[in-house]
Amino acid sequence: MAEAEGESLESWLNKVTYPSNGQEDWEYIIGFCDQINKELEGAVRLLAHKIQYPQEWENPIFDEEEKSKLLAELLKSKNPDDLQEANKLMNSMVKEDEARIQKVTKRQHPLGEVNNNVKLLNEMLVPYSKEDS
């Protein structure tokens, strides 16, 4: 756990939630928990930020760039097999994009409901008076 010294809370969170981790890495999890105990207030803000904004496993820019380059090469080819492969690649890219959009929508819907409920509660509290109750 010598690595823990000098690591930021966000770097620990990124290590714990890195998408290519096949399973839990307890060294990272313990390091993250230790860092939370040191920076509780910052941890709350960081986690709220991570929940509200797209996660790394959703927007993977490098994969998209590589796929786009491959697609361009396949489309330039006159080989029917390459064109068929390009078609498969385009279909998979469309499906991945739809899945990302669906994940974002699923995350935004509850946040919108919470926002509406807070507004409603605030409206209900406007006429409230401690003296009259």
Side-chain angles (χ1 to χ4, degrees):
M1 201 58 73
E3 223 179 303
E5 295 303 316
E7 291 279 347
S8 72
L9 183 63
E10 186 166 9
S11 69
W12 280 111
L13 179 60
N14 290 336
K15 288 177 183 179
V16 169
T17 60
Y18 191 68
S20 66
N21 290 349
Q23 56 188 0
E24 298 90 15
D25 187 330
W26 284 101
E27 180 181 345
Y28 291 154
I29 293 170
I30 292 169
F32 178 67
C33 291
D34 289 344
Q35 199 66 28
I36 284 179
N37 289 331
K38 293 178 188 173
E39 304 177 41
L40 186 58
E41 195 172 308
V44 172
R45 277 187 267 122
L46 177 65
L47 291 173
H49 173 79
K50 288 287 186 176
I51 290 169
Q52 290 177 352
Y53 295 98
Q55 305 296 313
E56 292 177 29
W57 49 265
E58 291 178 351
N59 291 328
I61 296 169
F62 297 114
D63 289 345
E64 292 297 322
E65 288 177 9
E66 290 176 13
K67 286 181 182 178
S68 295
K69 288 177 185 176
L70 176 61
L71 181 61
E73 290 176 19
L74 290 171
L75 289 173
K76 287 179 187 176
S77 174
K78 302 285 186 200
N79 185 346
D81 291 337
D82 288 345
L83 295 176
Q84 190 173 17
E85 187 65 30
N87 188 34
K88 289 180 184 177
L89 182 58
M90 283 190 291
N91 287 335
S92 73
M93 290 171 75
V94 167
K95 286 180 182 178
E96 288 172 4
D97 193 46
E98 288 173 350
R100 274 193 296 275
I101 290 171
Q102 188 176 16
K103 288 176 185 175
V104 168
T105 302
K106 281 184 178 180
R107 185 179 57 247
Q108 288 176 342
H109 181 71
L111 292 174
E113 285 182 6
V114 168
N115 190 27
N116 288 337
N117 288 338
V118 168
K119 285 180 184 178
L120 180 61
L121 286 172
N122 282 332
E123 289 173 6
M124 292 170 65
L125 289 174
V126 168
Y128 174 76
S129 171
K130 287 183 181 180
E131 293 82 31
D132 295 340
S133 295

